[in-house]
Amino acid sequence: MPVIKINPSGKTFEYHPGATLLELLLAEKFFVDNPCNGKGVCGKCRVRIVNGNVGEPCATELKLLSDAELKTGIRLSCLVKPEEDLTVELLQKERKHEVLTSGYVPEFEFDTDIKKQVIEIRKPTLSDQTPYEDQILEQTGVRAVSFTALKDAVFHPGMATAVIHNGTVIGVEAGDTTEKLYGVAIDIGTTTVVCALIDMLTGKELANASMINAQKHFGLDVLTRITYQIEHKETGVADLQKAIVDSINAM
C-alpha cells in the first residue's frame, strides 16, 4: 500500500488510491485550506509535491497556478489523485481566530423549563412492593420517568432529587441537589462553536469555551456544506454531525 509523508512534520500514513490528495489529507486531520470544498474553483488548496509522481497539471491548475509555482512542485490537492509513494509539503498553517464569547444581553424574563424536586425513596418491604418508578410518579405528579433516568440512577432508600423537564423525569440524583442546577448553551456558527456553562437557578454564565467549527473542512459557507451532503448521500450528514461533535468534545 502506498505511503504519503508530510513535511515538515515527518508524519506518514498509508492510503488506498482513488481519492484526491485533498480528501486523503483531510481524512488524516491535516489542515488544508479549501473554501470551495474541493471543486477546483478557489485555488486555495495548494501543496508542494516534494517527491513522487502525480501526473501532469490539468487545465484548471494551469489556469490557477503560475509557471513559477508549477516549477517548484506546487499543485492543487483537490485535483491530484496520487497512486504511489509521495512526500508532500503543506504550505498553510491554520489561522487563529478571535472568537466572540460575550456581549450585550438585554433584559429578559428568566423562566427555565427544567426544575428539581426532592423525593423520598422507600425501601421495598413485604407489605409495600411499590416500584421505584411508581414512587417517583406518585411524588412528582409527572406523566413519565425516562428509561435513561431509571437506567442511570442508583437507588438507595432515603432522600433523592428528581430532575424534571416538560413533565418527564429525566434524571434522579442522590440526596438533595436542588441548590445546584446547571445547563450548557451551545452556539453552532458557520465559523465557530461556542459553549457556555449556565447556572440555571440564576441565569448567570459561569464559564465558556470556544473553537473553530470543524465543518470548515467541508467548505467555508453553508451552501458548500449542503453541496457536500448532496454529493455524499450515504455519509454526508454523519460527516457534518461528527465534525460538530468533535468541535464540542475538543473544548
Side-chain angles (χ1 to χ4, degrees):
M1 189 178 297
V3 173
I4 294 178
K5 179 180 178 181
I6 305 299
N7 285 346
S9 68
K11 295 180 179 179
T12 62
F13 64 90
E14 295 180 336
Y15 72 96
H16 294 282
T20 67
L21 181 56
L22 174 64
E23 292 170 333
L24 295 171
L25 292 172
L26 293 181
E28 295 294 326
K29 307 301 182 184
F30 290 102
F31 174 74
V32 182
D33 197 11
N34 62 113
C36 71
N37 190 31
K39 297 296 183 297
V41 176
C42 67
K44 300 291 186 181
C45 61
R46 290 172 166 83
V47 297
R48 177 175 284 110
I49 307 300
V50 179
N51 285 310
N53 181 21
V54 292
E56 295 298 317
C58 65
T60 301
E61 289 182 288
L62 293 174
K63 177 181 177 181
L64 295 176
L65 298 175
S66 67
D67 290 339
E69 288 176 320
L70 291 169
K71 287 179 180 179
T72 59
I74 293 178
R75 301 291 295 272
L76 297 182
S77 59
C78 72
L79 298 176
V80 169
K81 287 190 175 182
E83 296 183 352
E84 59 182 55
D85 290 352
L86 289 182
T87 300
V88 178
E89 179 184 353
L90 301 183
L91 304 177
Q92 308 147 348
K93 290 185 177 180
E94 194 163 6
R95 293 174 296 172
K96 293 184 177 180
H97 296 257
E98 293 294 330
V99 182
L100 182 64
T101 58
S102 62
Y104 169 70
V105 179
E107 293 291 332
F108 66 95
E109 183 179 352
F110 183 70
D111 183 19
T112 64
D113 60 355
I114 188 168
K115 64 179 182 177
K116 286 186 172 183
Q117 181 178 333
V118 174
I119 57 177
E120 189 75 20
I121 299 297
R122 303 187 304 274
K123 182 179 180 180
T125 64
L126 291 176
S127 59
D128 182 4
Q129 294 289 321
T130 305
Y132 292 131
E133 180 179 4
D134 290 347
Q135 292 186 39
I136 297 170
L137 292 173
E138 290 171 1
Q139 296 181 58
T140 59
V142 301
R143 62 175 180 267
V145 180
S146 72
F147 172 75
T148 302
L150 293 171
K151 177 175 67 71
D152 295 342
V154 178
F155 291 101
H156 295 289
M159 185 180 297
T161 301
V163 184
I164 304 170
H165 178 253
N166 285 340
T168 299
V169 173
I170 60 173
V172 179
E173 302 172 348
D176 182 355
T177 63
T178 52
E179 294 185 355
K180 297 178 180 179
L181 183 59
Y182 304 105
V184 176
I186 303 176
D187 177 12
I188 302 175
T190 305
T191 306
T192 61
V193 177
V194 180
C195 291
L197 176 65
I198 307 296
D199 185 331
M200 300 292 283
L201 298 176
T202 64
K204 182 180 178 180
E205 181 180 311
L206 304 177
N208 62 63
S210 62
M211 72 170 296
I212 302 304
N213 188 336
Q215 285 189 346
K216 69 177 183 178
H217 293 307
F218 305 103
L220 290 185
D221 60 271
V222 174
L223 291 178
T224 305
R225 295 175 192 177
I226 292 174
T227 301
Y228 179 87
Q229 155 59 18
I230 293 173
E231 295 177 349
H232 301 77
K233 295 184 183 298
E234 295 183 359
T235 62
V237 170
D239 290 342
L240 296 173
Q241 289 176 337
K242 183 178 183 301
I244 287 294
V245 172
D246 288 346
S247 294
I248 295 171
N249 289 339
M251 286 190 280

